[in-house]
Amino acid sequence: MRITNKIMQNNNLSNINNNKVLQDKLSTQMSTQKKINRPSDDPVVAIRALRLRSNVTEATQYYSKNIPDAKSWLSVTEGALKNTSEIITSMIAQCTKGSNGDLTSSDREIIAEQLKALRDEIYSTADVDYAGRYVFAGYRTDTSISFNEEETKQYTITEQLDNTAIDSITHISTVAQTAGGDYVDINDIDSSNYEDIAVQEADITATEVHRIRLAYADLSADYVPSVTRVTGKDADGNVTTEDVVAADDVTLVHSYDIPTAYEQAAGNPDGVYYIPETGEMVLGENVYAKMMEYKDAAETSTVDEGEIRITYEKTHWLDGDLRPEHYYACSSTDEEGKTIEYNQSYLTGSDVERQVIEYDVGFSQNIRVNTTADEVFTPGIGREVDDLVKTLEDVQSLESAAKKLEEMLEKASTDDEKALLQSRLNAANKALTLTKDKLQHMFESGITAMQGYLDANNLAITTCGTRSSKLALIENRMQSQKTNFETLKSENEDIDITEVAIQLSSAELTYEAALMASGKVMKATLLDYI
């Protein structure tokens, strides 16, 4: 076969071009430091690169963004909970001090002010936020836990309780009935009519009464609460209820009415009395015994037959009052009549997962970062303080009445006048002694109650710490995974610079040698061989 100059020329050009392509490829790899620049260069490497880049991006999102954000959220939460723990501990210390029976009037006044300040501080702590989001507000991170100013807004609230919410308190009756049938209170001292208010020592009595203390005080007086109990579920799976007492049998009694709701309940075992000012429902003995029999049936797991539901209204809200949408199934109605419902799923009877916020912190791995307000900042803390402060004020009032009666007795001019005043002073002293004894027992029970709130808070701190520890382990693992993925990505995509540099030098040398050899070969023609 004859090899012509044209064939030699084409072969030389083809080989030189291949060498130039290789040189260009190596030069591009040196400049980009990547093995391929287009998928067609190596489809296997390209597919693997896409997968590894996706893994690196996800790992970077978890490690550099999600995990630090979750850590910050948990840190803010834990700080607020630790502050709350200190506040509740201070409240326990105040209750311990208050249980001392030798306190002076000024001591009690200081304790009352301290308790109110500590209560307000607890609920202020509940409004702590992270990056503009309230950390204890569940999904409603844009809504504070408590009202920030006085507001008028109608809420219809349903509290879901059981018979453990029924407590018994001692009521000190300081009321007597005059000869004319009128009721008078021993605290009402009027020097002009003390002869008509001949309160006797026997009129002062201590009675145990049963009550349900609702989450709020200052409730709507024109809405009589409904009291129902859960009985089970119907064929469609809906919760069924029945009245504990008929609506007509709930009696409205104001806190200033005489006789009081406590005294009426003591005389009517079938009665239920609603005090809107204090947010209490006082139960007669028979009603109390009936409600204490309500138990959850062991054979049903999707409904609690021991649940008692009380629905009531509250319209007037003060600065610092807790927003019910963070705690209860409720609805609100604004001035334009627009109604918004909250947490209605709480009434379905099934186990409803409260508003849990979770962060994706790893591949198919998430962690809860939030603690909800109803786990720690319960209305019961404030209501406990309200009871203690009210009893402290009762002691202060009786001390003031007794002191005034003593002054009036010193100024009395006749024996009859002295006898009447002495009788009333004896009654006031008896009421004062009984109320002080009640106060001491309330402070003692307050210590127990506050210890319960402290335990709940400590549990939340422990849970938060456990989440933080788990997150730290995940962070370490994600750091390792991120490094591994980056290494694999680099091994898959990045060149070995030393190797490519040598190959490029070799290609350049080969290219130059090919040019020189081709130049010499192409000079020879067929005539040179003839």
Side-chain angles (χ1 to χ4, degrees):
M1 178 180 178
R2 179 185 172 190
I3 305 300
T4 63
N5 284 2
K6 186 65 174 176
I7 292 175
M8 294 173 62
Q9 179 181 355
N10 289 339
N11 287 340
N12 284 334
L13 288 174
S14 177
N15 292 331
I16 290 172
N17 185 62
N18 289 338
N19 184 273
K20 189 63 177 177
V21 169
L22 175 61
Q23 185 180 345
D24 179 65
K25 176 182 177 181
L26 293 172
S27 178
T28 301
Q29 287 181 344
M30 281 294 293
S31 61
T32 62
Q33 298 187 5
K34 299 295 180 183
K35 292 179 181 179
I36 62 174
N37 292 286
R38 59 183 66 87
S40 59
D41 290 346
D42 191 331
V44 175
V45 172
I47 292 172
R48 190 182 297 120
L50 290 174
R51 291 174 180 171
L52 290 172
R53 286 186 181 188
S54 177
N55 289 336
V56 169
T57 300
E58 287 184 62
T60 301
Q61 173 71 30
Y62 295 140
Y63 180 73
S64 302
K65 296 181 180 179
N66 291 19
I67 290 177
D69 198 26
K71 285 177 66 177
S72 298
W73 188 295
L74 287 170
S75 178
V76 170
T77 301
E78 188 170 2
L81 292 174
K82 287 182 177 178
N83 185 50
T84 302
S85 181
E86 294 176 2
I87 296 172
I88 298 177
T89 301
S90 297
M91 296 178 84
I92 292 174
Q94 292 298 322
C95 289
T96 303
K97 186 186 297 183
S99 63
N100 183 354
D102 297 327
L103 294 176
T104 64
S105 179
S106 59
D107 290 335
R108 284 188 286 269
E109 188 173 347
I110 291 172
I111 290 173
E113 293 302 318
Q114 287 287 335
L115 286 173
K116 288 189 285 187
L118 290 169
R119 173 198 59 195
D120 295 342
E121 183 60 26
I122 281 183
Y123 294 140
S124 295
T125 304
D127 280 329
V128 66
D129 68 283
Y130 167 65
R133 297 175 293 175
Y134 294 102
V135 299
F136 295 106
Y139 297 154
R140 303 181 186 89
T141 56
D142 60 341
T143 305
S144 61
I145 301 300
S146 58
F147 287 91
N148 298 320
E149 60 183 3
E150 188 173 355
E151 188 172 333
T152 299
K153 188 175 184 180
Q154 179 182 308
Y155 277 85
T156 302
I157 305 164
T158 298
E159 284 195 44
Q160 295 167 263
L161 311 168
D162 56 31
N163 52 29
T164 61
I166 305 174
D167 64 351
S168 300
I169 62 169
T170 301
H171 171 65
I172 310 301
S173 177
T174 58
V175 174
Q177 194 170 12
T178 65
D182 296 327
Y183 286 96
V184 294
D185 192 291
I186 198 170
N187 292 287
D188 297 330
I189 305 298
D190 187 346
S191 59
S192 64
N193 68 350
Y194 64 88
E195 293 181 355
D196 296 327
I197 312 175
V199 183
Q200 303 295 316
E201 194 171 349
D203 295 325
I204 309 301
T205 58
T207 307
E208 183 180 67
V209 294
H210 312 291
R211 65 167 184 177
I212 296 177
R213 185 179 59 191
L214 301 174
Y216 300 96
D218 190 21
L219 306 180
S220 299
D222 54 356
Y223 183 96
V224 178
S226 64
V227 185
T228 60
R229 63 162 296 208
V230 173
T231 57
K233 285 189 174 182
D234 60 19
D236 297 326
N238 299 316
V239 174
T240 57
T241 61
E242 67 178 14
D243 289 338
V244 175
V245 290
D248 293 341
D249 293 334
V250 177
T251 304
L252 170 67
V253 181
H254 292 286
S255 59
Y256 49 79
D257 287 343
I258 300 177
T260 65
Y262 308 108
E263 289 153 356
Q264 293 186 52
N268 181 10
D270 295 317
V272 177
Y273 300 88
Y274 167 54
I275 312 174
E277 292 81 6
T278 61
E280 294 174 286
M281 300 201 72
V282 186
L283 313 175
E285 190 64 37
N286 292 344
V287 178
Y288 166 72
K290 175 183 176 182
M291 296 175 73
M292 290 303 292
E293 293 178 356
Y294 296 154
K295 305 292 182 184
D296 183 19
E299 60 271 13
T300 57
S301 59
T302 60
V303 66
D304 180 4
E305 290 84 0
E307 181 179 302
I308 300 168
R309 297 180 177 181
I310 301 179
T311 302
Y312 56 91
E313 277 190 1
K314 180 173 172 62
T315 302
H316 183 222
W317 303 89
L318 299 175
D319 179 15
D321 282 346
L322 297 175
R323 292 182 178 273
E325 58 262 40
H326 294 301
Y327 297 89
Y328 307 109
C330 61
S331 62
S332 67
T333 305
D334 59 20
E335 296 178 352
E336 298 177 355
K338 180 180 179 181
T339 300
I340 303 175
E341 294 186 338
Y342 303 96
N343 309 321
Q344 295 304 305
S345 61
Y346 292 2
L347 303 176
T348 60
S350 57
D351 291 332
V352 178
E353 185 177 87
R354 299 300 168 107
Q355 299 167 1
V356 173
I357 297 177
E358 294 182 332
Y359 272 65
D360 289 331
V361 292
F363 297 98
S364 301
Q365 193 168 22
N366 50 39
I367 190 169
R368 178 179 176 180
V369 298
N370 74 319
T371 301
T372 53
D374 58 357
E375 295 179 68
V376 178
F377 304 99
T378 60
I381 299 174
R383 299 292 279 144
E384 196 72 35
V385 171
D386 289 343
D387 277 351
L388 292 172
V389 170
K390 173 63 170 61
T391 309
L392 282 166
E393 291 173 349
D394 288 343
V395 171
Q396 300 287 83
S397 178
L398 285 167
E399 284 182 335
S400 177
K403 183 178 179 180
K404 188 170 183 180
L405 284 168
E406 287 175 353
E407 293 174 352
M408 293 170 63
L409 182 59
E410 290 179 357
K411 298 177 181 178
S413 57
T414 66
D415 292 340
D416 289 342
E417 187 178 4
K418 289 180 180 181
L420 288 171
L421 288 170
Q422 184 63 57
S423 174
R424 188 164 187 186
L425 177 59
N426 293 340
N429 286 331
K430 179 181 178 181
L432 179 59
T433 300
L434 291 173
T435 306
K436 283 183 177 180
D437 186 61
K438 172 186 174 181
L439 178 62
Q440 183 175 354
H441 284 90
M442 288 191 68
F443 271 118
E444 291 171 355
S445 63
I447 294 173
T448 303
M450 293 301 174
Q451 187 61 53
Y453 297 127
L454 181 61
D455 291 343
N457 187 78
N458 289 338
L459 176 60
I461 293 175
T462 302
T463 303
C464 188
T466 301
R467 293 169 186 161
S468 297
S469 299
K470 180 181 177 182
L471 185 61
L473 294 174
I474 295 173
E475 183 180 24
N476 291 336
R477 184 163 61 253
M478 285 310 305
Q479 183 181 28
S480 177
Q481 287 183 315
K482 180 174 178 289
T483 302
N484 289 339
F485 285 133
E486 288 175 343
T487 301
L488 292 172
K489 173 178 173 291
S490 177
E491 291 175 352
N492 182 65
E493 298 182 20
D494 298 343
I495 62 169
D496 184 335
I497 295 179
T498 302
E499 180 182 351
V500 174
I502 293 174
Q503 291 178 354
L504 179 59
S505 297
S506 176
E508 289 175 347
L509 181 62
T510 302
Y511 178 69
E512 292 174 0
L515 289 177
M516 293 176 61
S518 296
K520 291 180 180 181
V521 171
M522 293 307 293
K523 288 179 181 179
T525 66
L526 182 60
L527 296 176
D528 294 328
Y529 297 99
I530 297 176

